[in-house]
Amino acid sequence: MIANDLSQHDFRQIARWLYEKTGIYMNDSKQPLVNGRLQKRLRELQLTNLSAYRKCLMADENEQQLAINLLTTNETYFFREPKHFDFISHELLHAEQKQRGWQVWSAAASSGEEAYSIALLMAERYGLASSWQIVGTDINTQVLNTARRGIYPIQAAARIPQNLLKSFCVKGKGKDEGWFMFKPALRDHVTFTRYNLINGPGLGQSFDLILLRNVLIYFELADKQRIVQNVLSNLRPGGWLLVGHSESINGYDPRLQTVRTGCYRFMP
Ligand SMILES: C[S@@+](CC[C@H](N)C(=O)[O-])C[C@H]1O[C@@H](n2cnc3c(N)ncnc32)[C@H](O)[C@@H]1O
């Protein structure tokens, strides 16, 4: 074994720590992944083995956040799983009459693409002067910083419908060449904050729509169920919960009615 490799003992200690902190479950098959992702940090700290890193991790809260930032999987893109956005646009925003603006929670927001995709649909339907609001949360502080900036590589815009891009985004110029950003008036409707899904009991707000997409896959069954309960305590009666297409929560709660793949209505 080379010196920098994580021994099984160190791996299991780190995996246990990660599980206790975040609920993310990593079995022994994830050892190479964890090893690879932590190497960067090891080099920065000039540590020669991961056993030393483990000790440093256990003793330092800041290091723990850095490790969470490295160990979470943050893949996301604009309008990911487009059927959900068709559903939101056609079935929810154009069908439901609302007295006040939609309150939406993107509960594993990563770098913000999901939250801004919803914001674009809201802006198209209701304009920027009305009172809809999107809250994005994640446990990874690094991706949240990207989300707050609201500036993305121009290639990422390829997934955004042209009319929405034209109306609500601005192409970067000069030093911002190659990037695009959301107009400030749209960004004003979107906020981001750190929140750990496993901690419960949610944000203490009542949302009309919650997206909990492509995050449940990282948890064990009992924790998935707990997280869904936490999230439901923040969903208004008649509100909507969306999970990833491959993350069925059928049977988790009798108050949830399946409407489409990954789309549930909360009917207490
Ligand atoms: C694969 S991304 C999904 C992003 C987006 N929802 C989508 O579908 O494109 C999963 C996100 O869940 C976050 N996450 C993992 N465990 C979490 C926890 N315990 N609390 C909050 N966020 C968590 C990760 O940091 C990551 O950004």
Side-chain angles (χ1 to χ4, degrees), residues 22 73-76 80 108 114 138 195-197 213-215:
T22 68
T73 300
N74 311 113
E75 186 190 349
T76 188
R80 181 181 191 179
E114 180 178 272
D138 203 281
Y195 174 72
N196 185 351
L197 286 165
R213 303 188 321 147
N214 301 304
V215 65

Side-chain angles (χ1 to χ4, degrees), residues 21-24 68 72-77 80-81 106-111 114 137-140 143 195-199 211-215 217-219 227:
K21 281 277 170 187
T22 68
I24 296 172
I68 289 172
T72 50
T73 300
N74 311 113
E75 186 190 349
T76 188
Y77 36 91
R80 181 181 191 179
E81 299 184 341
S106 167
S110 188
S111 35
E114 180 178 272
T137 63
D138 203 281
I139 199 171
N140 180 321
V143 289
Y195 174 72
N196 185 351
L197 286 165
I198 205 77
N199 281 351
L211 293 97
L212 181 68
R213 303 188 321 147
N214 301 304
V215 65
I217 37 167
Y218 301 107
F219 303 112
I227 288 170

Side-chain angles (χ1 to χ4, degrees), residues 16-266:
R16 199 167 115 195
W17 162 81
L18 185 70
Y19 176 72
E20 281 165 6
K21 281 277 170 187
T22 68
I24 296 172
Y25 176 70
M26 296 216 177
N27 62 24
D28 286 352
S29 73
K30 295 288 193 302
Q31 187 169 336
L33 178 112
V34 169
N35 194 52
R37 287 186 178 178
L38 291 179
Q39 287 303 322
K40 176 175 175 268
R41 192 62 195 135
L42 227 79
R43 281 194 298 275
E44 283 165 3
L45 293 171
Q46 299 186 327
L47 295 174
T48 51
N49 63 70
L50 276 154
S51 181
Y53 181 70
R54 180 174 66 78
K55 291 187 187 108
C56 164
L57 177 68
M58 300 303 165
D60 180 351
E61 289 239 345
N62 290 334
E63 192 58 43
Q64 295 187 7
Q65 183 60 58
L66 289 173
I68 289 172
N69 292 355
L70 289 171
L71 293 174
T72 50
T73 300
N74 311 113
E75 186 190 349
T76 188
Y77 36 91
F78 293 106
F79 294 91
R80 181 181 191 179
E81 299 184 341
K83 282 189 178 152
H84 278 169
F85 293 94
D86 290 344
F87 174 73
I88 292 169
S89 178
H90 299 121
E91 306 288 324
L92 302 190
L93 303 192
H94 283 89
E96 281 212 2
Q97 294 298 322
K98 290 185 70 62
Q99 302 297 328
R100 58 175 178 84
W102 282 80
Q103 302 293 307
V104 183
W105 181 13
S106 167
S110 188
S111 35
E113 286 84 338
E114 180 178 272
Y116 287 115
S117 301
I118 304 277
L120 288 168
L121 297 182
M122 294 284 170
E124 180 185 37
R125 172 75 175 88
Y126 301 106
L128 292 171
S130 91
S131 65
W132 54 270
Q133 203 65 40
I134 321 273
V135 182
T137 63
D138 203 281
I139 199 171
N140 180 321
T141 52
Q142 194 179 359
V143 289
L144 285 172
N145 285 337
T146 303
R148 284 186 194 107
R149 276 198 302 274
I151 301 174
Y152 297 90
I154 198 81
Q155 299 87 320
R159 293 177 184 273
I160 300 178
Q162 275 299 320
N163 62 321
L164 299 180
L165 203 58
K166 266 196 184 141
S167 303
F168 304 111
C169 304
V170 188
K171 234 184 186 178
K173 292 200 182 99
K175 70 173 177 40
D176 293 324
E177 188 83 45
W179 299 80
F180 78 96
M181 58 213 74
F182 290 98
K183 288 186 177 170
L186 182 126
R187 282 217 313 263
D188 286 349
H189 287 267
V190 190
T191 54
F192 293 96
T193 187
R194 185 184 185 280
Y195 174 72
N196 185 351
L197 286 165
I198 205 77
N199 281 351
L203 300 181
Q205 247 176 284
S206 181
F207 291 96
D208 303 298
L209 167 66
I210 300 179
L211 293 97
L212 181 68
R213 303 188 321 147
N214 301 304
V215 65
L216 289 174
I217 37 167
Y218 301 107
F219 303 112
E220 291 273 83
L221 179 62
D223 295 318
K224 289 184 206 207
Q225 287 171 332
R226 201 167 107 210
I227 288 170
V228 168
Q229 290 305 321
N230 290 343
V231 160
L232 286 183
S233 67
N234 289 241
L235 188 59
R236 66 142 168 96
W240 307 87
L241 173 64
L242 270 55
V243 300
H245 285 325
S246 59
E247 300 177 302
S248 160
I249 53 170
N250 291 348
Y252 277 35
D253 189 301
R255 298 169 299 174
L256 283 174
Q257 284 180 3
T258 311
V259 184
R260 294 276 155 78
T261 307
C263 303
Y264 298 83
R265 188 156 203 197
F266 185 45

